[in-house]
Amino acid sequence: MIDKRVKNVQEAIAGISDGMTLIVGGFGLCGIPENTINALVESNVTDLTCISNNAGVDDFGLGLLLQKKQIKKMIASYVGENAEFERQMLSGELDVELTPQGTLAEKCRAAQCGIPAFYTPAGYGTEVAEGKETKDFDGKMHILEHAYKADYSIVKAWKGDHAGNLIFKGTARNFNAPMAGSGKITIAEVEELVEPGQLDPNEIHIPGIMVQRIFQGEKFEKRIEQRTVRKRS
């Protein structure tokens, strides 16, 4: 069994350089590979193209890379609560490609499975379809979407073992699971790193063959994007 462990986050991001394309897991503020993102901020790598559901918030997740202008293009489905993302997009400082959420997930999963392209009805008749091949299936128009091509995929898992097998928890599974294995190299940071054999095979979401580097993160934040509480009577 191949041991995929690296010593630390700095070793995990070795090879990520200016101008690369990164697929980054996370859903809102859930399942963000925050240790890896923080290391990329400190590395000062720039001109990145980042593919992610959203860009976190101003001071967390990909928002930290946006603050330092390290991202040149953002491919996402949602601007979200990130005021800096919105500002850079509206001012033209940042190249933004908004993609339907399901299409974004499927473009990642297609890359993961080695599928070059697929047809989807999502976005037909809108700007999303401009310049793309379309085709009629059973009287409904579809758009041809190509799988993403990325240098690295960076995901966050709840548990993992030395061989790279991963288990995601709750909503963190939404995008991290299809993004693992969708880049040439997949980096997985986990909350708990265990010995091979300690994970129940029936609970593993991603097999280790899709992961090249794994490490245990530290000091994970459990943020809430929007807090709603009931008023006291």
Side-chain angles (χ1 to χ4, degrees):
M1 186 176 293
I2 301 175
D3 191 337
K4 309 289 182 67
R5 287 177 298 173
V6 293
K7 295 178 182 178
N8 49 45
V9 66
Q10 285 73 31
E11 187 174 329
I13 66 168
I16 297 180
S17 58
D18 296 352
M20 284 191 167
T21 298
L22 311 179
I23 291 177
V24 186
F27 185 71
L29 301 185
C30 180
I32 294 175
E34 55 201 84
N35 286 271
T36 310
I37 291 172
N38 291 338
L40 289 172
V41 172
E42 293 175 1
S43 75
N44 293 316
V45 64
T46 189
D47 290 328
L48 297 173
T49 295
C50 289
I51 302 167
S52 186
N53 178 57
N54 58 288
V57 290
D58 293 87
D59 61 343
F60 188 62
L62 290 176
L64 296 172
L65 288 168
L66 284 172
Q67 280 186 351
K68 289 185 63 179
K69 307 291 183 65
Q70 292 171 269
I71 300 176
K72 71 172 182 180
K73 182 175 182 179
M74 191 74 214
I75 300 173
S77 70
Y78 179 57
V79 176
E81 308 300 323
N82 194 319
E84 180 61 16
F85 185 5
E86 179 183 4
R87 189 196 67 76
Q88 289 187 27
M89 180 178 71
L90 294 177
S91 67
E93 297 174 36
L94 179 69
D95 186 4
V96 176
E97 182 180 317
L98 292 178
T99 303
Q101 193 170 75
T103 302
L104 189 146
E106 188 65 9
K107 283 163 75 81
C108 291
R109 194 191 71 85
Q112 179 191 71
C113 299
I115 299 170
F118 60 91
Y119 283 98
T120 175
Y124 179 77
T126 73
E127 292 182 8
V128 171
E130 290 182 3
K132 296 178 182 176
E133 180 184 329
T134 59
K135 191 170 183 178
D136 184 305
F137 289 93
D138 299 321
K140 189 172 185 177
M141 295 302 297
H142 292 66
I143 304 167
L144 181 65
E145 294 282 3
H146 292 265
Y148 287 131
K149 295 180 180 179
D151 299 292
Y152 286 81
S153 289
I154 304 170
V155 299
K156 155 78 182 307
W158 176 43
K159 288 184 180 181
D161 64 18
H162 301 177
N165 298 302
L166 303 177
I167 296 176
F168 304 101
K169 190 174 184 180
T171 310
R173 186 178 175 186
N174 284 10
F175 281 90
N176 280 297
M179 287 177 169
S182 57
K184 294 177 183 176
I185 295 174
T186 293
I187 300 167
E189 70 172 70
V190 298
E191 293 187 28
E192 185 179 351
L193 188 58
V194 301
E195 297 287 336
Q198 288 188 265
L199 299 180
D200 183 343
N202 295 304
E203 295 180 355
I204 291 172
H205 297 130
I206 291 296
I209 195 170
M210 293 186 177
V211 176
Q212 284 70 47
R213 304 174 189 175
I214 189 169
F215 72 97
Q216 182 167 316
E218 56 184 18
K219 299 179 180 178
F220 289 105
E221 295 186 48
K222 303 293 183 182
R223 292 203 182 191
I224 299 174
E225 194 165 1
Q226 292 287 348
R227 184 187 296 272
T228 302
V229 297
R230 185 178 64 184
K231 293 183 179 179
R232 292 187 178 184
S233 56

